[in-house]
Amino acid sequence: MGLLERLRKEWFIFGIVLVIAVARLEPAVGVKGGALKPEITITYIAVSAIFFNSGLSLKTEELTSALMHVKLHLFVQIFTLVFFPTAIWLFLQLLSITPINEWLLKGLQTVGCMPPPVSSAVILTKAVGGNEAAAIFNSAFGSFLGIVITPLLLLLFLGSSSSVPFTSIFSQLFMTVVVPLIIGQIVRRYIKDWLERKKPPFGTISSCVLLMIIYTTFCDTFANPNIDLDKFSLIIIVFIIFSIQMSFMFLTFLFSTRNNSSFTPADTVAIVFCSTHKSLTLGTEVNQAAQSTCEGIMMEMACIAVNVYMYYTVHTDN
């Protein structure tokens, strides 16, 4: 296989490497308040574009059918918001006797308490031919649940809870997820024949938007002056995050492909991505809320940021 052919086939992986490299060279462009204005272009425009794109590409009957797939929804939400944080807590009891930075471990527990991601699970599910409608429902529903459940989980597992701005996050999710999806479905009714005839590259468009999100995420990471942790802890935490990600993906795959599971291969794809990935949106909010609610403020903020961004990057590359 020639270089150009490989680049064409694996363009998204090369794209991830490229945007990370660009973010490292000049992070000021993509940080909040920077030239790219990600607090507007990414938080609102990019995420809205993803769900408008999904609204255009999905048949209404597929979305309606996904709403009725209660077994799949229960599996995803219970795994994400019950099994995942509990398993992380048990694992961290073992790691607490190691020399790994204590705040990094607390940051990992914080990530474990996050709900499903708003956009990346939908994009990745779509990219490999999974049940996109189910991924959309679980990403949206899980994000709304997380506004209430995540602070309670943090209180349970860490003994303290960040005060997440309920109203602002709820309205943001509604305006960037629900409204664009509905508008996309309405527009689809009028241009349905054209869409079926031309078959626009919806998957490629969503992947490009995801690259923008990854770029701004790493700009924030590289521009954060508070991330000054020992190399041993950072290397170990990267390995732990990767291991957790792969182990949980394998576990959800095993559960969803059992003979009596009744899940289709497309359902399994949605389950794997939605159950094991975590929300960057809510994770960032918790990180910011830590400024006024936690002791060891700057260190905890830095460690939550490290875990949120590393975990997000690992699951977009799997």
Side-chain angles (χ1 to χ4, degrees):
M1 182 183 294
L3 179 60
L4 289 179
E5 186 179 349
R6 178 165 290 278
L7 282 172
R8 192 178 298 111
K9 183 178 181 181
E10 306 290 348
W11 71 271
F12 183 68
I13 301 299
F14 287 107
I16 291 177
V17 175
L18 179 62
V19 297
I20 292 175
V22 173
R24 181 67 182 89
L25 291 173
E26 193 56 54
V29 175
V31 297
K32 288 185 178 179
L36 195 58
K37 299 292 183 185
E39 62 273 21
I40 298 173
T41 57
I42 299 300
T43 303
Y44 292 97
I45 298 176
V47 175
S48 296
I50 289 170
F51 284 93
F52 175 75
N53 190 28
S54 294
L56 274 180
S57 61
L58 278 173
K59 297 177 181 178
T60 303
E61 50 268 29
E62 290 178 344
L63 279 174
T64 305
S65 176
L67 290 175
M68 306 306 294
H69 208 332
V70 178
K71 184 178 178 180
L72 187 152
H73 306 326
L74 285 175
F75 183 100
V76 170
Q77 301 306 325
I78 291 174
F79 190 95
T80 305
L81 296 172
V82 179
F83 176 81
F84 200 121
T86 303
I88 293 295
W89 182 81
L90 292 172
F91 182 50
L92 293 185
Q93 301 312 299
L94 298 175
L95 293 180
S96 63
I97 62 175
T98 68
I100 299 175
N101 186 286
E102 175 190 359
W103 292 107
L104 274 176
L105 297 181
K106 288 187 176 183
L108 185 58
Q109 181 66 70
T110 301
V111 172
C113 295
M114 294 299 120
V118 176
S119 55
S120 61
V122 175
I123 295 172
L124 294 172
T125 298
K126 182 184 184 70
V128 294
N131 188 338
E132 183 187 359
I136 289 174
F137 177 84
N138 280 284
S139 293
F141 183 63
S143 295
F144 284 114
L145 274 181
I147 298 174
V148 176
I149 294 179
T150 291
L152 296 177
L153 290 173
L154 292 173
L155 181 62
L156 174 64
F157 291 111
L158 293 177
S160 62
S161 176
S162 295
S163 55
V164 177
F166 177 89
T167 304
S168 63
I169 297 182
F170 187 92
S171 59
Q172 177 186 327
L173 288 171
F174 184 79
M175 293 304 297
T176 59
V177 175
V178 179
V179 172
L181 185 65
I182 293 174
I183 294 175
Q185 283 285 286
I186 293 172
V187 173
R188 178 182 170 80
R189 291 188 177 185
Y190 294 97
I191 61 172
K192 181 179 178 181
D193 293 337
W194 181 85
L195 290 172
E196 292 180 352
R197 187 172 64 255
K198 295 294 184 179
K199 299 188 183 303
F202 291 116
T204 301
I205 294 171
S206 294
S207 295
C208 289
V209 174
L210 183 55
L211 287 177
M212 290 179 59
I213 296 173
I214 294 172
Y215 168 69
T216 57
T217 297
F218 268 90
C219 284
D220 278 333
T221 303
F222 293 133
N224 191 336
N226 302 311
I227 301 179
D228 185 20
L229 302 165
D230 63 280
K231 298 294 189 294
F232 170 78
S233 292
L234 283 173
I235 292 172
I236 293 299
I237 211 70
V238 169
F239 175 75
I240 290 172
I241 288 173
F242 182 79
S243 300
I244 289 173
Q245 178 77 80
M246 298 306 295
S247 298
F248 282 3
M249 290 180 75
F250 181 66
L251 189 62
T252 53
F253 176 80
L254 285 181
F255 278 129
S256 60
T257 54
R258 292 179 303 168
N259 292 332
N260 60 344
S261 68
S262 75
F263 295 127
T264 66
D267 292 338
T268 295
V269 172
I271 287 171
V272 168
F273 285 130
C274 291
S275 299
T276 61
H277 295 178
K278 293 295 182 175
S279 173
L280 178 66
T281 302
L282 196 58
T284 303
E285 290 290 342
V286 169
N287 179 37
Q288 293 172 345
Q291 295 181 63
S292 58
T293 59
C294 300
E295 298 178 0
I297 298 170
M298 301 312 292
M299 181 60 77
E300 181 160 8
M301 284 177 62
C303 292
I304 291 174
V306 168
N307 280 276
V308 168
Y309 297 147
M310 284 183 181
Y311 195 93
Y312 185 83
T313 305
V314 168
H315 75 55
T316 53
D317 198 20
N318 281 334

